[in-house]
Amino acid sequence: MLKPRLNNHRNLIDISGIWKFKIDKNNEGEKKGWNEGFSADSEIAVPGSWNEQLDNLDLLHYVGKAWYTKDIFVPKNFKDKKLWIRFDSVDYHSKVWINDRLVGTNDFGYLPFDFEITEFVQCGKENLIVLSVDNQLSDDTIPQGINTHYYVDEKRPRDETFPAARFDFPPNGGIHRPVYIYTTSLIFIEDIAVKTKLTGPSSSKVLLQLNINENISCELVVNISDNNSIFNEKFKYNGNSADIEFEVNNIDLWGLGNPNLYKLTVTLFNENEEVDSYSLQIGFREIEVKNKQILLNGKPVYMQGFGKHEDFPVFGKGFNYQSLVKDFSLMKWIKANSFRTSHYPYAEEVLEMADREGFLVIDEVPAVSLDFRKVNGGTLKSHKEFTKKLIARDKNHPSVIAWALGNEPNLVGNPDYFNGEAEKYWKEIFQNARELDSTRLLTVPNCQKAGINDPVFLFSDFISINRYYGWYEHPGQIEYGVEVLEKEMDEIWNKYHKPILMTEFGTDTIAGEHSISDQMFTEEYQSKFIEKYIELLRSKDYVIGEHVWNFADFRTPQHFRRVIMNRKGVFTRTREPKLAAFKLKELWSK
Ligand code: BDP
């Protein structure tokens, strides 16, 4: 489904705000009929994680079930339309009832889901919405979950975190992005996919793939404009999907520093009556890998930027416009030109801003630290489905240049990872993604424990590596770490002949700690580590970019390795700069 928008044919109400909330530690809500309504423990802000809002309920580390409810007034004039509810993301599993009737379930966090609710709501009245949410992950969810007893079975009790997680960020729960009620006409445009292919320095082929909700014969008007209309034509078609191809001329390409965008509007006519229209921003650009380089519109680009997280005090993983604006403003200040949505899809508003500001984005499927001892048919199925949903949501963003189909598989360093099964798995995951989108690049950031024989390298368009020599390995020895890294990078290049992006490198740094000697955790150590790594990366012509880990400090599950947060941020969690921020600004301004 397309992102809901307000126009002459579509209504839209944002029903975020204050909802009622109840914890369901014993998973008894459904048995007790909470879907019919319940007496709440508390109120809660939506969007937002439940973890940092409700200290009186002690939810900071809570994993399990919780319930949300709200009475929503649906106006009379929504009658005679199709009505929908949309959650931009709920983490993780959720189930939705309206007026005590089950509307649907969703098992994919970090991504939007819509349910048609025309038959469920009463217009001109209050309607009771109830939602149950469960943030317990399992072997076959993406990302995979873990239970504390696994650590014992796996004989790695010292890895145990609380809450248990296979990754280095907390498995927060809640309604993390806005919730909408919206309408469409009875006949409406379900989806628009825009594919462009440059045919010259200022011309492009355009392939529009449209889905209409019904099999009809009708007319479509396609308009593309900036200030002036550059294309306007009528097309006739039959059925419920249409492929329309045409060429546009005199266009300005989308690129770094000049993110030219155009407004595409599709208007749908049925029996000469206008029944729907939808507009979205598009850009014309081309991305490819050639020999040692990555080319944007035929010219080499070097990526400088960050791996990030959606994480902010109190909001947790909840979307908020303030940190969206703040993070882009800091990225512009520091002269970053790109980032990775580590380790999951970010809010669509982030990609829209990247489109407008001209940032390159590597958009990540949350298959983070897949443990192949626990990978099963269900994991593969969820992974493919997740990829499909992500591409369906983000396919029209010019800023998205690549899909990261996971991050650091085999972080546990299991030797069986190399027995051929994982290779088969990744082959299928990459093939699936290529069939869904042949216009973007594919990669999976690799960890040191999977090493240079990681099967993800075989299928990637460019190689992504996360390395911490001088931190986890060879602690305190930056120069030696850089030597080890250089050897390994040369080896990777010689083996695969694919350009390399450094997707993670960094050191935990406590803002305010200083030292004249190389001393881990100080601001000077982080700054020097980053400088030395960048010096090496820039000396290699097969390196296509550097993404520092991380943009900002972020909360983690509890473990003796972490003092509340992962402190590898160049900015603190509240976005104050550390010394390294100034170093990066200097290096990235060159
Ligand atoms: C890598 C992971 C990332 C971690 C980081 C670290 O990709 O999620 O936060 O290392 O340890 O393993 O700081």
Side-chain angles (χ1 to χ4, degrees):
M1 287 293 281
L2 293 162
K3 189 173 196 258
R5 291 193 201 282
L6 185 63
N7 66 26
N8 285 335
H9 303 285
R10 295 167 176 248
N11 285 305
L12 174 65
I13 3 177
D14 186 342
I15 58 169
S16 312
I18 295 293
W19 287 51
K20 292 199 173 118
F21 181 78
K22 192 176 180 70
I23 281 292
D24 185 7
K25 280 199 174 123
N26 304 320
N27 195 8
E28 59 192 9
E30 260 190 90
K31 259 184 267 142
K32 292 195 167 166
W34 294 4
N35 41 298
E36 296 163 26
F38 54 83
S39 70
D41 294 334
S42 174
E43 296 190 329
I44 191 166
V46 169
S49 296
W50 61 52
N51 306 70
E52 288 180 61
Q53 291 188 54
L54 295 169
D55 299 274
N56 59 329
L57 300 181
D58 190 18
L59 296 183
L60 187 57
H61 309 298
Y62 181 68
V63 173
K65 244 194 184 161
W67 291 69
Y68 288 73
T69 186
K70 194 172 168 88
D71 284 315
I72 306 289
F73 185 84
V74 178
K76 246 197 209 145
N77 59 355
F78 279 21
K79 240 183 155 178
D80 306 325
K81 298 262 180 195
K82 275 186 187 289
L83 267 97
W84 303 84
I85 191 165
R86 168 154 177 135
F87 292 85
D88 268 354
S89 92
V90 178
D91 288 308
Y92 197 87
H93 305 279
S94 49
K95 213 163 167 178
V96 183
W97 292 263
I98 293 186
N99 299 329
D100 189 25
R101 286 171 64 201
L102 180 66
V103 171
T105 59
N106 177 60
D107 294 303
F108 295 87
Y110 306 105
L111 286 178
F113 54 97
D114 304 78
F115 297 123
E116 193 189 339
I117 55 169
T118 318
E119 302 301 321
F120 294 81
V121 296
Q122 295 186 303
C123 293
K125 291 200 173 139
E126 297 264 344
N127 292 266
L128 181 72
I129 301 188
V130 176
L131 173 81
S132 74
V133 183
D134 187 347
N135 62 336
Q136 176 63 58
L137 301 168
S138 59
D139 289 343
D140 50 13
T141 52
I142 294 295
Q144 280 182 308
I146 191 166
N147 290 304
T148 36
H149 76 259
Y150 278 29
Y151 291 116
V152 182
D153 298 349
E154 292 170 8
K155 299 200 177 48
R156 29 184 217 114
R158 286 171 73 83
D159 289 330
E160 186 169 333
T161 64
F162 187 80
R166 288 207 182 273
F167 38 78
D168 194 24
F169 55 93
N172 283 10
I175 304 179
H176 279 148
R177 294 179 195 150
V179 189
Y180 302 100
I181 302 261
Y182 66 100
T183 69
T184 59
S185 19
L186 302 182
I187 296 173
F188 68 99
I189 305 163
E190 250 174 8
D191 195 30
I192 304 175
V194 189
K195 288 189 178 147
T196 60
K197 175 108 188 93
L198 302 187
T199 47
S202 60
S203 59
S204 176
K205 265 199 187 141
V206 182
L207 171 63
L208 282 189
Q209 295 172 308
L210 301 173
N211 289 325
I212 314 290
N213 70 315
E214 279 192 22
N215 245 316
I216 46 163
S217 60
C218 59
E219 280 183 343
L220 290 161
V221 173
V222 176
N223 180 278
I224 300 179
S225 61
D226 48 4
N227 290 327
N228 305 309
S229 169
I230 61 158
F231 183 86
N232 195 67
E233 262 184 46
K234 207 177 244 184
F235 299 87
K236 281 192 172 76
Y237 91 99
N238 287 311
N240 62 356
S241 67
D243 285 357
I244 299 174
E245 245 185 279
F246 53 90
E247 181 144 350
V248 286
N249 296 304
N250 300 321
I251 48 167
D252 293 316
L253 302 188
W254 184 96
L256 290 174
N258 53 345
N260 297 301
L261 290 173
Y262 291 84
K263 185 170 165 186
L264 165 79
T265 303
V266 179
T267 311
L268 178 67
F269 292 85
N270 186 31
E271 292 169 357
N272 292 327
E273 190 198 340
E274 183 179 318
V275 290
D276 193 16
S277 74
Y278 193 89
S279 299
L280 57 105
Q281 301 278 3
I282 60 167
F284 300 96
R285 61 113 187 89
E286 218 158 68
I287 192 85
E288 62 183 316
V289 160
K290 211 169 188 181
N291 306 324
K292 296 178 175 176
Q293 289 173 321
I294 198 163
L295 306 180
L296 175 64
N297 302 333
K299 294 198 192 95
V301 278
Y302 188 84
M303 285 187 261
Q304 48 193 41
F306 300 97
K308 290 184 90 256
H309 263 297
E310 287 187 317
D311 176 72
F312 209 71
V314 187
F315 297 90
K317 296 209 162 300
F319 173 74
N320 64 93
Y321 284 104
Q322 288 75 4
S323 66
L324 171 72
V325 171
K326 178 87 175 170
D327 284 8
F328 271 89
S329 127
L330 289 173
M331 286 196 289
K332 286 195 282 183
W333 171 82
I334 207 169
K335 307 286 183 207
N337 65 10
S338 52
F339 61 92
R340 175 167 62 113
T341 72
S342 40
H343 291 308
Y344 37 81
Y346 292 179
E348 281 178 272
E349 287 77 0
V350 177
L351 301 174
E352 287 171 344
M353 191 166 269
D355 290 344
R356 293 193 298 272
E357 296 286 358
F359 278 77
L360 306 180
V361 179
I362 299 175
D363 202 351
E364 191 155 299
V365 177
V368 41
S369 333
L370 279 185
D371 185 338
F372 278 77
R373 295 170 305 180
K374 302 282 181 191
V375 161
N376 57 41
T379 326
L380 178 70
K381 193 164 162 249
S382 309
H383 198 161
K384 285 165 77 174
E385 190 60 25
F386 210 113
T387 309
K388 188 173 169 192
K389 285 176 186 284
L390 175 65
I391 294 177
R393 191 194 69 163
D394 293 347
K395 59 187 179 288
N396 292 329
H397 291 286
S399 57
V400 176
I401 56 157
W403 308 109
L405 300 176
N407 176 71
E408 297 200 344
N410 200 33
L411 183 61
V412 291
N414 174 23
D416 292 345
Y417 182 61
F418 304 98
N419 70 8
E421 284 303 306
E423 184 177 324
K424 263 208 303 224
Y425 181 96
W426 283 116
K427 190 172 179 193
E428 202 166 329
I429 292 294
F430 275 80
Q431 231 165 31
N432 172 57
R434 271 192 216 288
E435 278 161 23
L436 294 164
D437 182 7
S438 57
T439 69
R440 290 184 175 83
L441 307 174
L442 302 179
T443 194
V444 172
N446 142 282
C447 65
Q448 189 266 338
K449 283 210 175 129
I452 78 162
N453 297 317
D454 194 334
V456 298
F457 290 157
L458 300 172
F459 313 111
S460 295
D461 293 310
F462 61 90
I463 281 178
S464 298
I465 55 171
N466 302 345
R467 289 298 183 273
Y468 293 93
Y469 302 129
W471 187 255
Y472 293 123
E473 294 84 21
H474 321 301
Q477 303 178 65
I478 295 175
E479 278 84 0
Y480 181 60
V482 169
E483 266 175 47
V484 175
L485 177 63
E486 177 169 16
K487 275 199 202 109
E488 194 187 20
M489 283 190 343
D490 284 345
E491 238 181 297
I492 295 176
W493 166 254
N494 289 331
K495 182 161 179 185
Y496 299 97
H497 283 272
K498 294 181 182 183
I500 300 178
L501 173 66
M502 192 81 191
T503 26
E504 284 185 27
F505 61 107
T507 67
D508 285 83
T509 305
I510 313 284
E513 288 292 350
H514 296 286
S515 172
I516 286 168
S517 305
D518 285 354
Q519 168 65 56
M520 294 170 75
F521 294 102
T522 62
E523 295 197 31
E524 287 75 14
Y525 193 86
Q526 180 186 38
S527 183
K528 179 174 168 187
F529 180 99
I530 288 173
E531 186 177 13
K532 293 290 172 199
Y533 264 58
I534 288 183
E535 221 172 81
L536 170 70
L537 298 171
R538 302 234 166 176
S539 73
K540 300 287 173 188
D541 60 359
Y542 55 71
V543 170
I544 52 172
E546 55 213 28
H547 279 176
V548 174
W549 190 256
N550 187 283
F551 173 73
D553 293 348
F554 56 92
R555 274 200 89 93
T556 58
Q558 298 177 91
H559 190 266
F560 56 76
R561 289 201 313 177
R562 298 278 181 258
V563 187
I564 303 174
M565 285 178 262
N566 182 315
R567 308 269 179 166
K568 294 193 186 71
V570 164
F571 299 94
T572 63
R573 194 177 187 221
T574 44
R575 277 45 176 179
E576 289 92 28
K578 299 181 192 169
L579 189 61
F582 299 96
K583 177 52 75 185
L584 275 172
K585 184 177 170 59
E586 179 196 319
L587 295 170
W588 286 350
S589 298
K590 278 182 192 159

